[in-house]
Amino acid sequence: MEIKNTEDFNKHIKRVLVSEEEIKAEIKKAAAKIDALYDGRPILLVSILKGAFVFMADLCRAVTVPCEIGFMCAKSYYSGTVSTGVVQITMDLDRDVSNYHLVIVEDIIDTGRTLNDVVKMLKARNPLSLTVITLLDKPSRRLVEFEADISLFTIPDHFVIGYGLDCAELYRNLPYIAEYTEN
Ligand code: IMP
Ligand code: MG
């Protein structure tokens, strides 16, 4: 994939899978679920970078419970669009989570490996509670058993881009979620 101009960039966007309006509507519902779940208790939203940064930005402005935000960087290595199954924490949270209700904010659950590892690690630090919310879920691709507590969209086995999700670091800035095509 060599992107030299807007034309190169655009030709890999096959079709819009989830529109801006649909994302907005589902975030509103998901935020209401979080509000109901915590009922005024403060939470710590933890976003897994980089993919979840856009979702996090919209979700944190839609919840009304008192909320702090934190970031972690977990890399699941991809060669092109294929997962290689290696998960590494390249940036950890900057605080002790034992006094927090944690809400892990993820962009997509694919094989399930990233969240399976991250959740195991965070649970070992004894937070008050832990909930996982994901924007997208590709259940047909699961290699380890993992379910999010809240999932906004279930999608078929397509490689998707936009709204934070990348292909070789590009396309994160698309305001919608699209299907990626190689040519
Ligand atoms: P998992 O560990 O296989 O569940 O993969 C999770 C991570 O892989 C996500 O946080 C994404 O960063 C990345 N990923 C999985 N599927 C896609 C996709 O379709 N487009 C872009 N990134 C993806
Ligand atoms: Mg990624």
Side-chain angles (χ1 to χ4, degrees):
M1 179 175 81
E2 202 192 358
I3 309 281
K4 290 195 295 274
N5 52 44
T6 309
E7 197 188 326
D8 291 342
F9 182 81
N10 287 339
K11 76 177 184 203
H12 295 287
I13 306 170
K14 190 172 176 188
R15 66 188 172 103
V16 176
L17 210 61
V18 190
S19 70
E20 280 186 78
E21 292 72 25
E22 289 172 297
I23 296 170
K24 205 173 169 189
E26 285 305 308
I27 286 183
K28 207 172 162 185
K29 288 188 215 162
K33 281 185 197 166
I34 291 173
D35 285 345
L37 201 60
Y38 293 98
D39 193 25
R41 282 172 296 176
I43 60 173
L44 173 60
L45 288 174
V46 176
S47 161
I48 314 292
L49 293 173
K50 299 175 192 170
F53 85 106
V54 179
F55 180 37
M56 170 74 141
D58 284 342
L59 184 69
C60 76
R61 287 177 292 176
V63 295
T64 63
V65 287
C67 117
E68 293 181 36
I69 59 166
F71 298 96
M72 273 178 90
C73 199
K75 262 209 164 99
S76 55
Y77 286 92
Y78 268 76
S79 61
T81 59
V82 181
S83 173
T84 57
V86 182
V87 180
Q88 195 196 343
I89 306 297
T90 54
M91 187 188 87
D92 205 344
L93 285 168
D94 57 4
R95 73 200 92 166
D96 176 10
V97 299
S98 60
N99 276 320
Y100 286 98
H101 290 287
L102 293 185
V103 179
I104 314 300
V105 181
E106 179 60 308
D107 54 352
I108 187 165
I109 308 179
D110 186 37
T111 65
R113 283 175 174 139
T114 306
L115 273 188
N116 195 54
D117 284 11
V118 167
V119 164
K120 234 186 253 167
M121 188 178 119
L122 291 176
K123 275 190 176 158
R125 299 179 190 176
N126 298 311
L128 298 175
S129 68
L130 191 152
T131 299
V132 173
I133 177 167
T134 186
L135 175 68
L136 301 168
D137 191 2
K138 281 198 266 191
S140 63
R141 297 252 315 156
R142 229 39 126 252
L143 292 176
V144 300
E145 223 173 285
F146 189 91
E147 289 308 318
D149 300 290
I150 304 172
S151 167
L152 278 63
F153 300 96
T154 299
I155 61 167
D157 182 13
H158 297 312
F159 194 81
V160 292
I161 49 174
Y163 198 76
L165 291 110
D166 72 306
C167 184
E169 295 301 328
L170 286 168
Y171 302 101
R172 294 191 195 276
N173 60 317
L174 298 178
Y176 49 82
I177 295 154
E179 189 181 332
Y180 174 82
T181 180
E182 201 56 59
N183 36 51

